[in-house]
Amino acid sequence: MPKPVPTHLYAIRLARLTGRLALALAAITTLAFTFLAMIALTDGAASGLVAWSATLGTGVALAAWRSRQRPWPARLVPFVPVAVAAALTAAVCVPTVPTDRRTPSELPFVATQHWELETGSRVAVYHYPPAKTDARQPVPLVYLHGGPVRSISVQDHRFLRLLARQGHDVYAYEQAGGGRSDLLPMSQYTISRSVRDLAAFVDRLDRGRADVLGFSGGGVVLTRALADPHVAARLHRAIIAEPGPMDGPTARVTGHKGRPSARGLAPAPTGPRSTHVPRYAVAFGLMRLGLLSPETGLIGQAEGANAFTAADLGSDTASAYCARDADRIPVEDTAQNFSFSAAASLSIQQTVKDSPSIAPRLRHSRTPAMLMIAECSSQVRQWATAVLAAAPGIGRTQYMPGVGHHMWNGLADNNARAAAVITAYLQDRPAPLPDYPSREEIPAFLRDHE
C-alpha cells in the first residue's frame, strides 16, 4: 500500500498553489491597469487596439523573461495570465452596437422636419401650431431643451403640446448632434456654436423676433445669447428655467442647492445599460474622469450615442424630482426616442468651463426675461442667482414650489402650473406666484438653502 501523504505536505502544496494563483491574479490585474493606462495615453487610438497590442507585447515579453530558465512545459505557465488578460481586455476593443449613426424612430404625434441652418447645422424641428383661441400668441415660442446634445424627451413633447393648446405657436429643435439632428465634427461642439445655432434658427423661422424658453442646458444657451447683442436682437422675451452654469467662474462655484431631491431614494432605473459592457464602461468612465478626450479613438461619436441608454443616466433622473416623489417618478422617455451623446455633451460643457465671465456683457442686456427656479432643484443655486444678479432684463422670478429640476414632469398639476407661469409672463399678465427671489433677496435666498 502507498504511504499516506503527511498532512503538512498537503498544507505546503496548498500554500504553493495559493501563492501561484495570487501571483497570476496580480499579473492579470497589473496588465489590465496597464491597458487602461495605455488607453488613456493613446486616447483610445484605433478602437483601443494600439493600447491592447502594446499591453500584450509587454506581457509576452515579461512572460518570456520569466520562463527562460524553466523546463518544458512549465515555460508556458507565465503566459497563462497574459492570455487571460488579453482575452478580458480585448472586449474593450470590440463594438457591440452599430458604429454608424442610428437615429430614433419618428414620433407618432408630430412630424419631424429637418432644417439647414446658416451655421451648417442640420437640425430636427418640431412644430406645434397654436390652438384657435382668443389667447393665440402672434410671437413664436422656441424651446431649447436640456442635455445638452440629446433628444427632446416625450415628457417635454407633452408639455410643448400643452403650451400650444394655450395659444402658443411652439417650435422646438434638437440641438446639433442630438436626437434626429445631424452630427457635427466633435471639435465643433461648443457653447458658442449652440448660441449661433439659436440665432440661425430664429432667422430661419423668418417671423421677426421670437420668445425663447430655455431649460437647464438650454437655459445656458439662452443666457449666453442674452449676453451677445447680435443674438439678443433676435429675441422678444426670454424664459430661463433652471439654468446650468453660464461660464467658467460660475461653473467653479459650489454650495447651495434646493430642497432634497429623490437622488438616492428612488428605485434604480431599469433597462439595459451600456456601462455593463466593458467597452462602454471604460469609454464613458474615462471620459467622465477627463482621461479620454471627447474625440477619443476608442469609440466614435455615432457608436457612443447608439450605445448610451436612459438607464445609464442612473440617479441623474431621480435628482430632477423632489424627495417626496421618489416612489412615483414617471417614465420621461421611451427607448425608441431616447438619444444622448455623452462625448458631445462633455465637449460643450468643457467649453463653458473654459470660458471667461460673461457677467460684464450680460449687464448690458435689456431683453425682457423671466427666471424660473425649482424648490427641489439639484442645481447649484448660484447658477441661477448669478444670472439674476447680472441680467437687468430679468423682471420676474418665479420660485416653483413642489417640483424638482424637471419642473414640467406630468405629476399632479405640475405641467399646468409651469404653463400658467410661462403664459402669464408672455402675455404680460400678473404672475401666478410671488416675484421671488428679487435681486435684493439673493443673499437671504441662499442662506435659506444652506
Side-chain angles (χ1 to χ4, degrees):
M1 294 181 61
K3 294 182 180 179
V5 179
T7 304
H8 72 280
L9 291 181
Y10 278 120
I12 292 172
R13 290 175 183 175
L14 180 60
R16 287 176 179 172
L17 178 60
T18 302
R20 287 170 183 166
L21 288 174
L23 287 173
L25 287 173
I28 292 169
T29 302
T30 300
L31 287 171
F33 276 106
T34 301
F35 172 70
L36 292 177
M38 291 299 297
I39 284 284
L41 288 172
T42 62
D43 201 25
S47 196
L49 288 172
V50 172
W52 186 81
S53 300
T55 304
L56 178 60
T58 301
V60 169
L62 290 173
W65 181 81
R66 289 182 59 207
S67 67
R68 67 191 188 284
Q69 294 181 345
R70 296 188 181 194
W72 187 266
R75 288 186 179 184
L76 297 177
V77 173
F79 291 92
V80 173
V82 177
V84 172
L88 292 174
T89 54
V92 176
C93 305
V94 181
T96 60
V97 300
T99 55
D100 294 327
R101 180 72 185 280
R102 186 176 58 190
T103 56
S105 55
E106 294 294 304
L107 292 165
F109 48 79
V110 65
T112 305
Q113 306 173 49
H114 285 93
W115 288 9
E116 299 275 356
L117 304 181
E118 289 184 356
T119 56
S121 299
R122 184 173 182 269
V123 297
V125 180
Y126 310 93
H127 180 210
Y128 293 103
K132 296 179 180 179
T133 68
D134 294 337
R136 185 168 178 164
Q137 299 299 298
V139 179
L141 173 61
V142 176
Y143 177 61
L144 288 176
H145 62 86
V149 199
R150 64 178 296 175
S151 53
I152 298 174
S153 71
V154 170
Q155 193 72 259
D156 279 6
H157 276 289
R158 293 192 185 107
F159 182 65
L160 299 180
R161 292 160 75 182
L162 172 60
L163 291 175
R165 289 196 296 271
Q166 295 191 353
H168 300 284
D169 192 7
V170 181
Y171 289 84
Y173 67 94
E174 286 167 325
Q175 295 161 37
R180 297 163 187 82
S181 294
D182 285 7
L183 304 178
L184 294 176
M186 191 60 69
S187 61
Q188 294 185 26
Y189 289 109
T190 65
I191 191 62
S192 59
R193 173 61 173 265
S194 299
V195 174
R196 294 197 304 273
D197 279 352
L198 170 60
F201 184 84
V202 176
D203 287 345
R204 178 70 168 72
L205 273 176
D206 197 24
R207 297 270 301 275
R209 293 188 299 167
D211 294 325
V212 180
L213 166 62
F215 166 65
S216 192
V220 178
V221 176
L222 181 53
T223 300
R224 295 181 70 97
L226 294 176
D228 185 330
H230 299 291
V231 182
R234 296 168 168 85
L235 309 182
H236 179 250
R237 293 196 180 194
I239 301 172
I240 303 167
E242 280 288 287
M246 64 183 184
D247 52 26
T250 314
R252 290 188 285 274
V253 170
T254 58
H256 315 286
K257 294 188 178 181
R259 307 296 183 204
S261 75
R263 190 183 189 97
L265 301 175
T270 58
R273 296 190 181 201
S274 68
T275 47
H276 289 169
V277 179
R279 177 173 176 81
Y280 306 112
V282 168
F284 296 139
L286 293 182
M287 273 194 281
R288 186 148 193 168
L289 292 172
L291 299 176
L292 283 182
S293 74
E295 297 180 270
T296 176
L298 182 57
I299 59 171
Q301 180 185 170
E303 182 189 351
N306 292 341
F308 204 93
T309 70
D312 286 322
L313 293 173
S315 58
D316 285 353
T317 298
S319 69
Y321 291 82
C322 291
R324 66 179 72 96
D325 296 325
D327 293 326
R328 59 169 191 163
I329 293 177
V331 176
E332 293 195 340
D333 213 346
T334 63
Q336 294 74 27
N337 182 65
F338 179 84
S339 174
F340 180 71
S341 174
S345 181
L346 287 171
S347 181
I348 292 177
Q349 291 177 54
Q350 190 60 51
T351 63
V352 173
K353 294 175 183 177
D354 293 341
S355 68
S357 173
I358 66 168
R361 289 185 288 131
L362 194 56
R363 292 191 185 101
H364 294 289
S365 173
R366 294 296 181 270
T367 302
M370 178 176 73
L371 179 66
M372 298 175 69
I373 304 175
E375 178 186 6
C376 309
S377 177
S378 56
Q379 307 284 80
V380 175
R381 288 301 195 191
Q382 285 91 332
W383 294 350
T385 58
V387 180
L388 176 60
I394 295 180
R396 183 180 294 186
T397 304
Q398 298 285 269
Y399 178 75
M400 305 292 293
V403 293
H405 178 60
H406 201 169
M407 292 181 283
W408 39 87
N409 52 38
L411 295 177
D413 63 344
N414 292 341
N415 284 18
R417 291 194 296 124
V421 164
I422 291 167
T423 299
Y425 177 69
L426 295 179
Q427 293 181 356
D428 203 23
R429 292 192 281 106
L433 299 170
D435 184 10
Y436 172 77
S438 65
R439 289 178 183 82
E440 295 74 21
E441 293 172 316
I442 289 175
F445 177 74
L446 294 177
R447 284 196 304 272
D448 288 345
H449 295 86
E450 286 184 332

